[in-house]
Amino acid sequence: MSSTTTHTAAVLHGARDLRIEHIRTPTLQPDEVSIAPRATGLCGTDMHYYENGKNGMFVVDQPLVLGHEAAGEILEVGSSVTSFKPGDRVVFEPQRPCGSCQECRHGTYNLCPKLKFTGSASANPPVQGSLQSVYQHPANFVFHLPDSISYQEAALIEPLSVSLHAVRRAGLHAGQSVLVVGAGPIGLLCAIIARISGASTIGMVDVQHSRLEFAIRHGYADYIVDVPTSPKEGETKTDFATRIAKDNLGRHPLFKPANVAFECTGVDVCANLSIHSMAPRGKVVIVGMGAPHQVLNVGLAAVREVDIINVWRYANTFQTAIDLLVSGNLNLGPLISHTFSLAEAKAAFDMLCSRPADLVKCIITSQ
């Protein structure tokens, strides 16, 4: 495409300053494909950028197009691309590793020190995201999308990949019991993947009862437990986590020390709750991204040989996620609770920030 061509995008200029405007269409590189995004899922990272103008240490200091959970249709292919053609339905993995470092050569490219991520302010200049009518991406991180998978379902392949990676890191065995802390989209997807990986029982805890009801109604969890949002007066966070774990273990006949916990909130109290809820030699997988410095009860983990495992995005998961969807073993449709058009992107983000009780996953569509 000509460098003078423009297209429509939802551009974030700062906290709650999202504008629909025309931006320049970059020149397509030989190894890239040009994609018309048809569906983009909005996640917590996108919401933090919109609500605060930053996500952790990454600050929006120049115009940024958000969106990285996306699928769409090929518009054009670069001169060296032979595996795609215009009209192909695709989903893209939003990571851009260097391809030559030790981590990339070993297949753990998600840990590449030079990795750039779509729709994030972590790079300068940033890699613009998928909330635009034309998006360009390296062809080797683009995957064919079978006709049996809708664009909206395909927009969930990226968060599904996070959950796949987390379950792989846990080394979950058939028959093990699982606790999921946090019933947001990632927690629900961890439960889904744990189920098909052979988990015997899946428990889920959250502060929002409507999310827990959703998990039970759709069979994602076998039992649910509401937890309070704050400690009692004078109670430390450590004592708070200890009390909640003890209370939970006595509240439901299925709630017993778990073999694996997926902590999907990023809150240190929840990480400590997970540690307290573990059977000896259990594994706590830290999936949620929270404050960089947290206080964890590593002493309790040590005396029970509980492993604390961290995950960072994913690697080599997208084709597996696609194959699982094609197999019919997953039904992600119920997770899609809200849809908006690209022109309504600001309204979509405002809705996210209001955190309605029926919110599970919001998708921006463009057909």
Side-chain angles (χ1 to χ4, degrees), residues 42 339-341 344-353 362-364:
L42 302 185
T339 58
F340 292 80
S341 69
E344 299 170 318
K346 189 176 190 314
F349 277 103
D350 287 336
M351 182 276 299
L352 285 182
C353 293
C362 178
I363 304 287
I364 301 291

Side-chain angles (χ1 to χ4, degrees), residues 269-314:
V269 169
C270 294
N272 283 311
L273 168 62
S274 301
I275 293 171
H276 278 280
S277 302
M278 284 296 95
R281 290 204 169 185
K283 296 180 180 180
V284 175
V285 185
I286 305 296
V287 187
M289 290 295 294
H293 299 285
Q294 300 186 17
V295 178
L296 300 184
N297 194 338
V298 294
L300 179 62
V303 299
R304 296 164 68 194
E305 292 195 350
V306 171
D307 294 337
I308 300 175
I309 300 170
N310 291 284
V311 300
W312 181 242
R313 296 178 180 147
Y314 40 77

Side-chain angles (χ1 to χ4, degrees), residues 41-45 47 69 155-164 180-193 204 206 208 211-212 214-215 220 262 264-265 287 331-332 334-338 352 356 358-363:
L42 302 185
C43 76
T45 298
M47 186 181 73
E69 305 176 356
L156 294 172
I157 288 174
E158 196 274 347
L160 182 62
S161 285
V162 174
S163 301
L164 270 169
V180 178
V181 181
I186 294 296
L188 294 169
L189 289 167
C190 281
I192 291 170
I193 297 300
M204 190 168 289
D206 200 284
Q208 189 170 331
R211 287 184 170 185
L212 295 175
F214 178 88
Y220 302 146
F262 296 100
C264 302
T265 71
V287 187
N331 179 17
L332 303 186
L335 298 179
I336 302 170
S337 59
H338 295 74
L352 285 182
D358 63 341
L359 172 65
V360 183
K361 192 68 178 179
C362 178
I363 304 287

Side-chain angles (χ1 to χ4, degrees), residues 39-41 68-72 89-94 141 143-146 149-165 186 189 193 314 317-326 330 332 335-336 361 363:
T40 294
H68 59 272
E69 305 176 356
R89 303 172 76 252
V90 296
V91 61
F92 67 85
E93 181 175 342
F141 278 87
F143 300 82
H144 286 281
L145 186 64
I149 304 175
S150 71
Y151 284 126
Q152 291 191 28
E153 286 179 306
L156 294 172
I157 288 174
E158 196 274 347
L160 182 62
S161 285
V162 174
S163 301
L164 270 169
H165 186 61
I186 294 296
L189 289 167
I193 297 300
Y314 40 77
T317 54
F318 263 61
Q319 190 58 55
T320 300
I322 293 168
D323 293 344
L324 283 172
L325 285 172
V326 171
L330 304 181
L332 303 186
L335 298 179
I336 302 170
K361 192 68 178 179
I363 304 287

Side-chain angles (χ1 to χ4, degrees), residues 14 20 30 87 123 167 170 193 236 240 294 359 367:
I20 303 299
V167 172
I193 297 300
T236 67
F240 180 39
Q294 300 186 17
L359 172 65
Q367 296 294 342

